[in-house]
Amino acid sequence: MTQISQLALEMAVKQYRDPYLSKDLYELDAVKSLAADETGKVTVRIELPYASKGIAGAIKELVGNALEDVDGVQSADVQVSQRIHSHKGQKDIASVPGVKNIIAVASGKGGVGKSTTAVNLALALHAEGARVGILDADIYGPSIGMMLGVPEGKRPETREQKYFVPMEAHGLQANSMAFVVTDKTPMVWRGPMVSGAVMQLLQQTLWNELDYLILDMPPGTGDIQLTIAQKVPVTGAVIVTTPQDIALLDGKKGIEMFRKVEIPVLGVVENMSIHICSNCGHEEPLFGHGGGERIAEEYDTTLLGQLPLHMTIREQTDGGTPSVVAEPDSEVARRYKDIARRVSAELSTRERHLTGSISSVSVSEH
């Protein structure tokens, strides 16, 4: 039979450009092996550096079709997996045991849907094949437990009378101040006590080999937020805003705060971007238009996605089954998963933490 050209195979694989990193698979160092046997069967093994399970099928099809067009190729076996690496936090703060990367989800003000975004982002990263945890650092208004459907009054197990075992909910590892106090306990604490409580929850939770820990930050950019940002080894931040002018002003303050402490801002999520009528489906930008895009452009960061103001998002989250798990094939869930891939891809371009204690985990799609 005709000898298959290795160069032709490589050129075929190069036709696929990653939609999130705008590079071909060789530029990403994602092609781990490529070979043809004597029968004309080609096998290629691809390993992407970010949470990407949702696009693995498309990669297999597109790369497979390109390879089968090469002279002499009878069939193509495309194997796609992912490997999430540990990336450096700011100022070389010591990493948290059991955690590769910490992503802070923050907002300059309350009421923009930050916690809803944090929960659905965590669930979307999990759906994309990553091991994910979430820490509710919003001490004054902890709501992650309710959003994840953790029964009221349920308490985490402890080890050695010192460590918390994170709660398991919808595949996530979770901890929150709400798990260790009652909902009737007012958090009448000053800043140092709040930041101290967050650090205790972070460091005394037995996180189990997480690729990502989502940190749901308190809203605002005051002393509490700044102290947490300075003490927690955050590898990247996501800013949640609405298109409303006042929210955009506060969103800018959030970006400035993270830059001040040398934490890279991975991008902006514009929440409540457009209202969709639950009766007729009419779409209307109630809070303005294009604000997230403007702030991303002004600060040279990425608009990660735009999410609608829709009744089902609130109902599902209030009911303990957020949109990504309640309706995984819905348009809203698709948007969250796209945001998750963008966040993970953007983080993959940052400097790696070569001394991380956790080995990388590979998730395969054959």
Side-chain angles (χ1 to χ4, degrees), residues 18-69:
D18 184 271
Y20 295 98
L21 294 171
S22 300
K23 293 181 178 180
D24 69 47
L25 294 170
Y26 279 97
E27 289 174 315
L28 293 175
D29 193 28
V31 181
K32 300 305 175 185
S33 63
L34 173 63
D37 66 16
E38 63 279 0
T39 69
K41 178 182 177 180
V42 175
T43 302
V44 58
R45 187 166 66 85
I46 297 166
E47 185 180 84
L48 291 175
Y50 65 94
S52 51
K53 185 178 178 182
I55 61 170
I59 296 172
K60 288 176 65 175
E61 183 176 355
L62 292 169
V63 174
N65 289 342
L67 286 169
E68 288 173 359
D69 286 340

Side-chain angles (χ1 to χ4, degrees), residues 164-236:
F164 297 109
V165 177
M167 297 280 199
E168 292 278 346
H170 302 304
L172 301 181
Q173 299 174 36
N175 205 356
S176 168
M177 184 57 69
F179 297 162
V180 295
V181 299
T182 71
D183 60 358
K184 295 180 175 62
T185 305
M187 296 292 113
V188 190
W189 292 351
R190 295 190 184 277
M193 290 183 68
V194 172
S195 54
V198 171
M199 293 305 297
Q200 188 174 1
L201 282 175
L202 175 68
Q203 295 172 338
Q204 292 183 211
T205 299
L206 298 174
W207 306 110
N208 184 14
E209 294 191 358
L210 297 180
D211 293 315
Y212 304 105
L213 175 64
I214 302 299
L215 185 68
D216 183 28
M217 292 279 285
T221 53
D223 180 63
I224 295 168
Q225 293 79 6
L226 185 58
T227 302
I228 292 172
Q230 288 173 325
K231 291 185 176 181
V232 176
V234 177
T235 43

